[in-house]
Amino acid sequence: MKRTPRNIAYHELIGLNIIVLSHADRGLCGRRGIIVDETMNTLKILSKDGKEVVIPKQYGVFRIE
């Protein structure tokens, strides 16, 4: 099944680009990178500078491309 905005929640997110649009932790806003791991409550992203950051899904708004 092809990924679309309507069904993205049902697909694997690993390997997709992500941007944190807003988050309760303001230090995470604006972060961008590639999703390298996903759990039920978190996303781990690899940024362009080579750092891995774990981001809680709760209270976050993300753009996944």
Side-chain angles (χ1 to χ4, degrees):
M1 177 183 283
K2 183 178 176 184
R3 290 183 192 137
T4 66
R6 296 179 105 187
N7 68 17
I8 192 72
Y10 302 106
H11 286 280
E12 183 72 32
L13 299 178
I14 294 174
L16 298 178
N17 292 316
I18 186 170
I19 302 169
V20 182
L21 298 177
S22 69
H23 202 279
D25 180 350
R26 293 290 177 200
L28 297 174
C29 294
R31 294 268 185 170
R32 58 179 63 216
I34 297 174
I35 300 171
V36 293
D37 195 19
E38 176 190 16
T39 67
M40 189 166 102
N41 297 314
T42 65
L43 294 168
K44 184 185 287 187
I45 66 170
L46 178 64
S47 61
K48 290 183 181 181
D49 60 1
K51 294 182 182 178
E52 288 187 352
V53 180
V54 177
I55 301 174
K57 290 179 181 176
Q58 188 176 19
Y59 307 119
V61 177
F62 309 97
R63 174 180 289 155
I64 299 173
E65 301 171 340

